[in-house]
Amino acid sequence: MERLEVKGLNHSFGFTKILHDINFTLNKGEVLSIVGPSGGGKTTLLHLCADLLDVEEGSVKNTFLSTAFAFQEPRLLPWKNVIDNISLALIAKGEKKSEAIKKSQEIALRFGLEEDDFDKFPKDLSGGMKQRVSFARALVTKPSLLFLDEPFSALDIGLKKELQSVLIDMISKKELSVLFITHDLMEAIRLSDEMLLLKADPGHIVKKFKFDIVQNQRDDKYVYGKSAEILQDSEIINTFELELKS
Amino acid sequence: MKFALKILKDFPAFLWSGWGAVASILLFIALWDSGNQVYGDLVLPSPLETFKTLHAMLNDANVIAEIKTTLYRASVGFGISLLFGTALGLLAGFFATASMMSRPIVTILVGMPPIAWIVLAMIWFGMGDETVIFTVIVASFPIIFVGALQGTRTLDGDLKEMAKSFGFPWHMKFLDVYFPHIFSYVFPAWVSALGMAWKIVIMAELLATSDGIGASLATARSQLDTPTALAIVTIMIGSLMFIEYIILEPIKREVELWRD
Ligand SMILES: Nc1ncnc2c1ncn2[C@@H]1O[C@H](COP(=O)(O)OP(=O)(O)O)[C@@H](O)[C@H]1O
Ligand SMILES: [Mg+2]
């Protein structure tokens, strides 16, 4: 069974403790989201899980066969056009170039890019289009675990919904496991099977929630209802206190 | 290969866009000619006379030999700068300590006037090839070194992380992530170093040798042979413009297509 297991994870930058005693398990086919205020250490946690940062204390065990990462910013190579940016992920996995380009074109279309855009450099793309490319690049390799670091936060509502529905589609088919990080509670409720609440200074998990209905059957009513219910919780109010004030 | 073809394909359009430049050169020649009418042939020979002298010189085997000597010195000096400047600059860029230590040295190299180098080189190497080549190297090396250093220092950490997260093998990290960025710094540095090398080689020859275009210029000066002096200047400027606009600029355009 492929899974990601995090045990007793602590992390500090210099003398500042960022994460304290984080424990969770993500099984295949699940979506686990971690919700917390900005600056709470979410990105740090995700980087530790994805082996982009060295684990200092505690353990991260990842037995997923393949992983991919969609960052908070698109992080495209400015000197590569849309298709080349996407296909690099495949080529890095040893795929043949012609095959990689074919698959990249398919997935680019699926993510709402047009054939006219294929040869464009990132400088000629809008923010939303760049994020689509970044998403396509992460998913083109058909990873079994996807790390998502607030990829929707800079997008307008329409595009956000559109990308989320592509994701929900893949999740419902159990093709994909996701570790999803966000400061948006509703987003987490819409997408995840399990949600952990991360409180800042230092980041630690204060609460866990489970959602039983499959993602493609959660409508706005469900999401709003759940949010309202969860927001009653004093722990949540505490956690987001800083953000509500500012 | 594909890249070379693209450069060739875009070349006619590039030339067409050069009409503005041609117009301004023609305007300049017109001004020059009126200068000749005001000040007379000795001070400022007419463009026509200059070009006639130029034509005669280019058909003279001796002159061609001088040009070859100068070209040889400039290429050797520039080549050495290119090789070592790029390699050392990249190396220094990858290590924070090395780049900090190299800064004052670069400041000295850049800040020292080339004429001072020529004097020192004449004392150290005497009158000959070495002096000229040395001066070309000290003048063009720091430009390339700084370009390569800046290129490596400014590599984007976010992109490195992205490459790591997708498990890019080392050759992809180098070719697809590091190289295009570094090259966009190094290439313009090469171009300006080449311009520098070409100017310095003439200056060093004028002062320190008895052959090469620079020395011919010195002779023309002592004989008050203004048409020849101007013809030599035309050769220098013409060759620089040829290299810069016909060879380097089209390459630069393709290389920097992705830039804002
Ligand atoms: N490389 C780093 N060095 C030092 N401090 C860092 C580094 N990365 C993040 N931090 C600090 O760690 C804290 C958590 O950051 P981050 O994980 O990005 O939070 P989030 O993603 O929840 O907004 C912030 O206070 C940030 O300043
Ligand atoms: Mg973050």
Side-chain angles (χ1 to χ4, degrees):
Chain A
M1 185 71 172
E2 295 172 66
R3 58 160 32 158
L4 175 74
E5 205 172 354
V6 174
K7 273 192 189 152
L9 189 65
N10 290 289
H11 197 81
S12 308
F13 283 123
F15 293 107
T16 327
K17 189 147 196 192
I18 305 290
L19 292 172
H20 173 73
D21 195 28
I22 308 285
N23 296 284
F24 64 82
T25 305
L26 168 62
N27 291 310
K28 187 165 170 68
E30 281 181 5
V31 179
L32 179 75
S33 60
I34 296 171
V35 185
S38 295
K42 301 186 298 299
T43 298
T44 309
L45 175 56
L46 201 63
H47 283 174
L48 286 166
C49 293
D51 196 25
L52 294 176
L53 262 179
D54 291 331
V55 174
E56 290 170 350
E57 228 188 301
S59 74
V60 171
K61 232 194 298 177
N62 181 1
T63 58
F64 280 98
L65 295 177
S66 58
T67 59
F69 207 120
F71 295 91
Q72 211 161 342
E73 329 76 39
R75 299 202 185 178
L76 305 179
L77 295 173
W79 41 83
K80 296 267 177 197
N81 67 26
V82 166
I83 292 300
D84 287 342
N85 259 295
I86 300 173
S87 66
L88 277 179
L90 286 167
I91 293 169
K93 297 264 179 310
E95 190 110 20
K96 272 222 323 263
K97 179 138 192 207
S98 54
E99 195 62 24
I101 286 182
K102 217 177 101 216
K103 286 187 186 171
S104 304
Q105 289 172 342
E106 279 164 22
I107 201 161
L109 293 172
R110 182 164 171 207
F111 275 101
L113 291 151
E114 282 161 26
E115 235 159 275
D116 287 346
D117 303 328
F118 286 1
D119 293 330
K120 285 185 184 160
F121 288 106
K123 70 166 164 102
D124 298 322
L125 299 176
S126 69
M129 279 154 87
K130 280 189 244 185
Q131 205 61 329
R132 285 173 205 250
V133 177
S134 162
F135 246 77
R137 178 180 62 189
L139 288 170
V140 74
T141 56
K142 299 212 161 61
S144 57
L145 171 60
L146 177 64
F147 295 107
L148 286 182
D149 189 355
E150 310 198 33
F152 308 115
S153 58
L155 306 181
D156 61 72
I157 303 274
L159 184 55
K160 193 187 274 200
K161 281 236 160 113
E162 195 187 317
L163 290 184
Q164 283 177 357
S165 66
V166 178
L167 205 60
I168 287 173
D169 196 39
M170 296 175 106
I171 295 165
S172 308
K173 291 182 192 148
K174 298 283 167 200
E175 287 171 350
L176 190 65
S177 321
V178 184
L179 181 58
F180 176 42
I181 272 183
T182 181
H183 65 260
D184 183 336
L185 192 63
M186 301 229 275
E187 214 167 84
I189 293 171
R190 192 182 297 278
L191 291 172
S192 48
D193 297 303
E194 189 173 359
M195 177 173 94
L196 309 182
L197 194 64
L198 189 82
K199 195 172 169 174
D201 296 320
H204 60 289
I205 290 167
V206 286
K207 232 170 169 119
K208 297 190 179 195
F209 300 88
K210 288 212 176 224
F211 307 105
D212 292 329
I213 305 180
V214 273
Q215 280 84 347
N216 54 7
Q217 307 202 341
R218 295 178 196 171
D219 50 14
D220 284 349
K221 201 169 141 227
Y222 176 84
V223 174
Y224 290 132
K226 272 282 175 198
S227 314
E229 188 184 311
I230 288 172
L231 280 171
Q232 305 283 314
D233 198 308
S234 64
E235 202 74 66
I236 303 248
I237 294 171
N238 259 327
T239 304
F240 284 100
E241 195 178 38
L242 272 175
E243 273 206 315
L244 292 180
K245 263 191 217 154
S246 60
Chain B
M1 196 53 224
K2 199 177 101 196
F3 186 64
L5 273 178
K6 182 132 185 349
I7 290 178
L8 284 181
K9 205 180 84 212
D10 290 348
F11 193 65
F14 169 70
L15 276 189
W16 183 252
S17 72
W19 278 117
V22 172
S24 79
I25 290 174
L26 290 178
L27 184 68
F28 174 76
I29 291 177
L31 279 175
W32 173 5
D33 199 63
S34 46
N36 160 255
Q37 284 163 24
V38 176
Y39 294 103
D41 282 344
L42 183 65
V43 176
L44 190 63
S46 71
L48 188 65
E49 193 189 345
T50 307
F51 290 129
K52 272 185 185 153
T53 317
L54 177 65
H55 182 74
M57 284 171 72
L58 291 179
N59 284 317
D60 181 345
N62 291 329
V63 177
I64 298 296
E66 304 286 11
I67 293 178
K68 278 188 183 156
T69 308
T70 304
L71 271 180
Y72 163 77
R73 289 168 178 155
S75 333
V76 171
F78 177 68
I80 291 175
S81 290
L82 184 93
L83 225 62
F84 288 91
T86 310
L88 293 176
L90 294 183
L91 214 63
F94 279 117
F95 302 101
T97 332
S99 53
M100 262 165 53
M101 278 171 56
S102 62
R103 273 189 58 185
I105 302 174
V106 169
T107 312
I108 294 172
L109 286 181
V110 174
M112 186 129 154
I115 196 80
W117 283 117
I118 296 176
V119 171
L120 284 178
M122 277 158 67
I123 298 170
W124 293 335
F125 304 111
M127 314 284 273
D129 279 355
E130 293 92 339
T131 299
V132 179
I133 292 173
F134 173 84
T135 317
V136 170
I137 293 174
V138 285
S140 57
F141 172 87
I143 301 173
I144 297 177
F145 181 87
V146 170
L149 182 96
Q150 295 274 11
T152 22
R153 295 303 298 163
T154 51
L155 280 171
D156 186 347
D158 283 358
L159 289 183
K160 282 191 203 167
E161 208 170 63
M162 184 279 294
K164 193 176 172 203
S165 82
F166 282 98
F168 282 20
W170 68 267
H171 66 273
M172 275 180 75
K173 274 190 199 161
F174 183 77
L175 284 178
D176 296 324
V177 185
Y178 302 162
F179 179 76
H181 175 89
I182 293 174
F183 193 71
S184 73
Y185 278 79
V186 170
F187 188 75
W190 287 352
V191 174
S192 36
L194 184 65
M196 179 62 105
W198 195 229
K199 278 179 253 177
I200 293 297
V201 78
I202 309 280
M203 188 160 134
E205 279 181 347
L206 190 137
L207 293 164
T209 61
S210 52
D211 54 358
I213 310 180
S216 309
L217 194 60
T219 316
R221 184 202 66 93
S222 65
Q223 294 170 354
L224 282 182
D225 184 355
T226 337
T228 306
L230 272 182
I232 291 173
V233 172
T234 312
I235 292 177
M236 281 156 47
I237 293 176
S239 51
L240 200 63
M241 281 174 76
F242 176 78
I243 294 175
E244 191 149 349
Y245 289 104
I246 304 295
I247 299 180
L248 297 176
E249 189 67 20
I251 299 178
K252 199 169 136 205
R253 283 188 178 208
E254 293 304 328
V255 167
E256 301 205 324
L257 219 50
W258 53 270
R259 293 210 153 210
D260 291 317

